[in-house]
Amino acid sequence: MWYTETSSTNDRAAAMADRGAREGTVVAANAQSAGRGRHGRSWASPPGAGLYVSVVLRPADRTVPLLTIAAGVAVAEGVQAATGLATDVKWPNDVYAHGRKVAGVLAEASSSNANRSIQHVVVGAGINIMPAAYPPEIVNRATSLEVELGRAVDRGLLLVEYLCALASRYEDLQNGRGDAVIGAWRARAASMLGRRVQWDAPGATGDGVALDIDETGALIVRTATGPIRVTAGEVRWV
Ligand code: BTN
Protein backbone atom coordinates (compact mmCIF):
# COMPACT_ATOMS: atom_id res chain seq x y z
CA MET A 1 0.00 0.00 0.00
CA TRP A 2 1.38 3.41 -1.00
CA TYR A 3 0.24 6.73 0.49
CA THR A 4 1.14 10.23 -0.66
CA GLU A 5 0.80 11.16 3.01
CA THR A 6 -0.36 9.24 6.04
CA SER A 7 -0.15 9.66 9.81
CA SER A 8 2.37 6.87 10.44
CA THR A 9 3.06 3.87 8.21
CA ASN A 10 3.50 1.80 11.39
CA ASP A 11 0.00 2.74 12.55
CA ARG A 12 -1.46 1.98 9.11
CA ALA A 13 0.32 -1.36 8.93
CA ALA A 14 -0.77 -2.31 12.48
CA ALA A 15 -4.39 -1.49 11.67
CA MET A 16 -4.18 -3.62 8.54
CA ALA A 17 -2.53 -6.46 10.49
CA ASP A 18 -5.31 -6.30 13.11
CA ARG A 19 -7.79 -6.78 10.27
CA GLY A 20 -5.88 -9.86 9.07
CA ALA A 21 -3.37 -8.47 6.54
CA ARG A 22 -0.95 -11.12 5.33
CA GLU A 23 2.65 -11.40 6.40
CA GLY A 24 4.78 -9.33 4.05
CA THR A 25 2.20 -6.55 3.62
CA VAL A 26 4.14 -3.34 2.93
CA VAL A 27 2.95 0.19 3.74
CA ALA A 28 5.04 3.08 2.42
CA ALA A 29 4.44 6.80 2.24
CA ASN A 30 5.94 9.88 0.65
CA ALA A 31 5.30 11.81 3.89
CA GLN A 32 4.05 11.15 7.43
CA SER A 33 2.18 13.70 9.54
CA ALA A 34 2.76 11.78 12.80
CA GLY A 35 5.88 9.69 12.16
CA ARG A 36 7.07 8.00 15.35
CA GLY A 37 10.56 7.08 16.54
CA ARG A 38 11.79 4.97 19.43
CA HIS A 39 11.29 6.06 23.05
CA GLY A 40 8.16 8.05 22.23
CA ARG A 41 9.99 10.52 20.01
CA SER A 42 8.59 11.88 16.78
CA TRP A 43 10.25 11.09 13.44
CA ALA A 44 10.30 14.06 11.09
CA SER A 45 8.92 12.88 7.76
CA PRO A 46 8.56 15.72 5.24
CA PRO A 47 7.45 14.91 1.69
CA GLY A 48 10.01 13.03 -0.38
CA ALA A 49 12.91 13.59 2.04
CA GLY A 50 13.09 10.08 3.39
CA LEU A 51 11.96 6.51 2.90
CA TYR A 52 9.12 5.74 5.32
CA VAL A 53 8.16 2.09 5.14
CA SER A 54 6.56 -0.53 7.40
CA VAL A 55 6.20 -4.28 6.95
CA VAL A 56 3.77 -6.66 8.66
CA LEU A 57 5.45 -9.82 9.94
CA ARG A 58 3.97 -12.79 11.76
CA PRO A 59 7.09 -14.33 13.29
CA ALA A 60 7.53 -17.58 15.17
CA ASP A 61 8.12 -16.93 18.88
CA ARG A 62 11.79 -17.91 18.60
CA THR A 63 12.30 -15.29 15.87
CA VAL A 64 11.05 -12.34 17.91
CA PRO A 65 14.09 -11.53 20.13
CA LEU A 66 16.45 -10.93 17.19
CA LEU A 67 13.93 -9.29 14.87
CA THR A 68 14.89 -5.75 15.72
CA ILE A 69 18.61 -6.56 15.27
CA ALA A 70 17.81 -8.18 11.90
CA ALA A 71 15.86 -5.12 10.76
CA GLY A 72 18.80 -2.79 11.44
CA VAL A 73 21.09 -5.12 9.51
CA ALA A 74 18.59 -5.19 6.63
CA VAL A 75 18.49 -1.38 6.46
CA ALA A 76 22.29 -1.24 6.31
CA GLU A 77 22.38 -4.00 3.66
CA GLY A 78 19.61 -2.37 1.61
CA VAL A 79 21.40 0.99 1.69
CA GLN A 80 24.66 -0.60 0.57
CA ALA A 81 23.04 -2.63 -2.22
CA ALA A 82 21.15 0.39 -3.57
CA THR A 83 23.82 3.07 -3.20
CA GLY A 84 27.18 1.45 -2.45
CA LEU A 85 27.40 3.33 0.88
CA ALA A 86 28.74 1.18 3.73
CA THR A 87 27.07 2.08 7.03
CA ASP A 88 27.49 1.06 10.68
CA VAL A 89 24.91 -0.22 13.12
CA LYS A 90 24.51 1.08 16.65
CA TRP A 91 22.68 -1.08 19.17
CA PRO A 92 20.05 -2.11 18.73
CA ASN A 93 19.18 -0.99 15.21
CA ASP A 94 20.23 2.57 14.42
CA VAL A 95 22.18 2.99 11.20
CA TYR A 96 25.05 5.48 11.04
CA ALA A 97 27.17 6.92 8.27
CA HIS A 98 30.44 8.60 9.29
CA GLY A 99 29.27 8.94 12.90
CA ARG A 100 25.86 10.45 12.14
CA LYS A 101 22.49 8.74 12.19
CA VAL A 102 21.05 8.10 8.74
CA ALA A 103 18.24 5.65 9.54
CA GLY A 104 16.27 4.12 12.39
CA VAL A 105 13.90 1.21 12.98
CA LEU A 106 10.77 1.06 15.12
CA ALA A 107 9.53 -2.53 15.59
CA GLU A 108 6.20 -2.83 17.40
CA ALA A 109 4.65 -6.13 18.48
CA SER A 110 1.02 -6.87 19.14
CA SER A 111 0.14 -9.87 21.25
CA SER A 112 -3.15 -11.62 21.97
CA ASN A 113 -4.82 -10.89 25.29
CA ALA A 114 -5.60 -14.56 25.75
CA ASN A 115 -2.20 -16.24 25.83
CA ARG A 116 0.21 -13.32 25.27
CA SER A 117 1.49 -14.92 22.06
CA ILE A 118 2.72 -12.50 19.37
CA GLN A 119 0.04 -11.83 16.73
CA HIS A 120 2.14 -9.66 14.51
CA VAL A 121 5.16 -7.36 14.51
CA VAL A 122 5.26 -4.19 12.42
CA VAL A 123 8.80 -3.31 11.40
CA GLY A 124 9.02 0.35 10.42
CA ALA A 125 12.11 1.91 8.91
CA GLY A 126 12.90 5.55 8.30
CA ILE A 127 15.88 6.31 6.05
CA ASN A 128 17.00 9.93 5.57
CA ILE A 129 17.49 10.54 1.86
CA MET A 130 17.76 14.35 1.89
CA PRO A 131 18.80 16.75 4.71
CA ALA A 132 15.20 18.03 4.91
CA ALA A 133 14.39 14.69 6.57
CA TYR A 134 15.70 15.82 9.93
CA PRO A 135 15.04 18.91 12.03
CA PRO A 136 17.78 21.58 12.31
CA GLU A 137 18.31 20.90 16.05
CA ILE A 138 19.82 17.49 15.28
CA VAL A 139 21.84 18.62 12.30
CA ASN A 140 25.12 17.67 14.01
CA ARG A 141 23.93 14.16 14.85
CA ALA A 142 22.02 13.26 11.69
CA THR A 143 22.87 12.86 8.05
CA SER A 144 21.26 11.71 4.83
CA LEU A 145 22.24 9.42 1.98
CA GLU A 146 22.46 12.25 -0.55
CA VAL A 147 24.75 14.31 1.68
CA GLU A 148 27.03 11.32 2.25
CA LEU A 149 27.09 10.31 -1.40
CA GLY A 150 27.02 13.75 -3.02
CA ARG A 151 24.47 12.59 -5.57
CA ALA A 152 20.81 11.72 -5.96
CA VAL A 153 19.50 8.40 -4.65
CA ASP A 154 17.06 6.17 -6.52
CA ARG A 155 14.40 5.75 -3.81
CA GLY A 156 12.55 2.99 -5.69
CA LEU A 157 15.71 0.93 -5.81
CA LEU A 158 16.38 1.70 -2.13
CA LEU A 159 12.91 0.45 -1.20
CA VAL A 160 13.33 -2.75 -3.21
CA GLU A 161 16.82 -3.52 -1.89
CA TYR A 162 15.74 -2.89 1.71
CA LEU A 163 12.70 -5.16 1.34
CA CYS A 164 14.86 -7.90 -0.24
CA ALA A 165 17.39 -7.64 2.60
CA LEU A 166 14.65 -7.70 5.24
CA ALA A 167 13.05 -10.78 3.62
CA SER A 168 16.40 -12.54 3.56
CA ARG A 169 17.33 -11.73 7.18
CA TYR A 170 13.81 -12.63 8.33
CA GLU A 171 14.13 -15.98 6.57
CA ASP A 172 17.43 -16.52 8.41
CA LEU A 173 15.64 -16.05 11.73
CA GLN A 174 12.61 -18.14 10.84
CA ASN A 175 14.94 -20.98 9.82
CA GLY A 176 17.11 -20.98 12.93
CA ARG A 177 20.03 -19.04 11.44
CA GLY A 178 20.15 -16.35 14.10
CA ASP A 179 23.94 -16.73 14.20
CA ALA A 180 24.16 -15.40 10.62
CA VAL A 181 22.18 -12.31 11.62
CA ILE A 182 24.33 -11.75 14.71
CA GLY A 183 27.47 -12.15 12.60
CA ALA A 184 26.22 -9.58 10.07
CA TRP A 185 25.35 -7.15 12.90
CA ARG A 186 28.79 -7.59 14.49
CA ALA A 187 30.53 -6.99 11.17
CA ARG A 188 28.86 -3.57 10.98
CA ALA A 189 29.26 -2.71 14.67
CA ALA A 190 33.01 -2.09 14.78
CA SER A 191 32.44 1.58 15.60
CA MET A 192 30.50 0.58 18.71
CA LEU A 193 32.02 -2.61 20.09
CA GLY A 194 35.01 -2.01 22.36
CA ARG A 195 33.90 1.59 22.94
CA ARG A 196 32.85 3.23 26.21
CA VAL A 197 29.08 3.68 26.36
CA GLN A 198 26.41 4.95 28.69
CA TRP A 199 22.92 3.52 28.74
CA ASP A 200 19.54 4.64 30.02
CA ALA A 201 17.04 1.87 30.48
CA PRO A 202 13.76 1.98 32.39
CA GLY A 203 14.87 2.19 36.03
CA ALA A 204 18.60 1.87 35.36
CA THR A 205 21.50 3.84 33.96
CA GLY A 206 25.15 2.96 33.84
CA ASP A 207 28.32 2.98 31.84
CA GLY A 208 30.96 0.57 30.68
CA VAL A 209 32.54 -0.90 27.56
CA ALA A 210 30.24 -2.40 24.92
CA LEU A 211 31.53 -5.91 24.23
CA ASP A 212 29.07 -7.77 22.02
CA ILE A 213 25.46 -8.86 21.61
CA ASP A 214 24.24 -12.22 22.87
CA GLU A 215 21.94 -14.73 21.16
CA THR A 216 18.88 -12.74 22.26
CA GLY A 217 20.18 -9.45 20.87
CA ALA A 218 20.97 -8.00 24.32
CA LEU A 219 24.05 -5.73 24.47
CA ILE A 220 26.75 -7.06 26.78
CA VAL A 221 28.53 -4.25 28.60
CA ARG A 222 31.58 -4.65 30.86
CA THR A 223 31.00 -2.47 33.92
CA ALA A 224 33.08 -1.85 37.03
CA THR A 225 31.04 -4.54 38.78
CA GLY A 226 31.14 -7.11 35.98
CA PRO A 227 29.35 -7.76 32.68
CA ILE A 228 25.68 -6.89 32.37
CA ARG A 229 23.04 -7.41 29.67
CA VAL A 230 21.28 -4.29 28.40
CA THR A 231 17.95 -5.35 26.92
CA ALA A 232 16.09 -2.06 26.52
CA GLY A 233 16.64 1.66 26.45
CA GLU A 234 19.17 3.79 24.71
CA VAL A 235 22.95 3.63 24.48
CA ARG A 236 25.26 6.60 23.88
CA TRP A 237 28.95 6.74 23.11
CA VAL A 238 30.92 8.63 25.77
C1 BTN B 1 14.12 5.67 15.57
O1 BTN B 1 13.72 6.35 16.54
O2 BTN B 1 15.31 5.62 15.29
C2 BTN B 1 13.15 4.87 14.76
C3 BTN B 1 12.52 5.67 13.65
C4 BTN B 1 11.52 4.88 12.83
C5 BTN B 1 10.81 5.75 11.83
C6 BTN B 1 9.97 4.95 10.89
S1 BTN B 1 9.41 5.89 9.47
C7 BTN B 1 8.36 4.58 9.02
C8 BTN B 1 7.75 4.04 10.29
N1 BTN B 1 6.56 4.79 10.67
C9 BTN B 1 6.73 5.46 11.82
O3 BTN B 1 5.89 6.20 12.36
N2 BTN B 1 7.96 5.21 12.31
C10 BTN B 1 8.71 4.31 11.45
Side-chain angles (χ1 to χ4, degrees), residues 8-10 32 34-38 41 43 51-54 94 101 103-106 124-126:
S8 154
T9 56
N10 265 35
Q32 299 181 114
R36 293 185 291 108
R38 296 176 66 230
R41 297 195 190 103
W43 185 261
L51 187 67
Y52 318 116
V53 57
S54 302
D94 286 342
K101 182 161 167 172
V105 172
L106 178 65

Side-chain angles (χ1 to χ4, degrees), residues 17-43:
D18 286 340
R19 293 194 303 269
R22 286 173 42 191
E23 170 157 273
T25 298
V26 176
V27 179
N30 191 51
Q32 299 181 114
S33 55
R36 293 185 291 108
R38 296 176 66 230
H39 309 298
R41 297 195 190 103
S42 64
W43 185 261

Side-chain angles (χ1 to χ4, degrees), residues 34-116:
R36 293 185 291 108
R38 296 176 66 230
H39 309 298
R41 297 195 190 103
S42 64
W43 185 261
S45 313
L51 187 67
Y52 318 116
V53 57
S54 302
V55 181
V56 174
L57 297 175
R58 298 189 181 278
D61 286 350
R62 69 171 184 284
T63 292
V64 174
L66 282 176
L67 197 48
T68 182
I69 294 285
V73 169
V75 170
E77 290 177 337
V79 164
Q80 189 154 9
T83 70
L85 182 69
T87 52
D88 302 322
V89 290
K90 173 174 165 274
W91 188 87
N93 52 23
D94 286 342
V95 176
Y96 275 65
H98 304 124
R100 292 176 184 211
K101 182 161 167 172
V102 71
V105 172
L106 178 65
E108 297 179 298
S110 162
S111 46
S112 85
N113 289 335
N115 59 9
R116 307 302 302 154

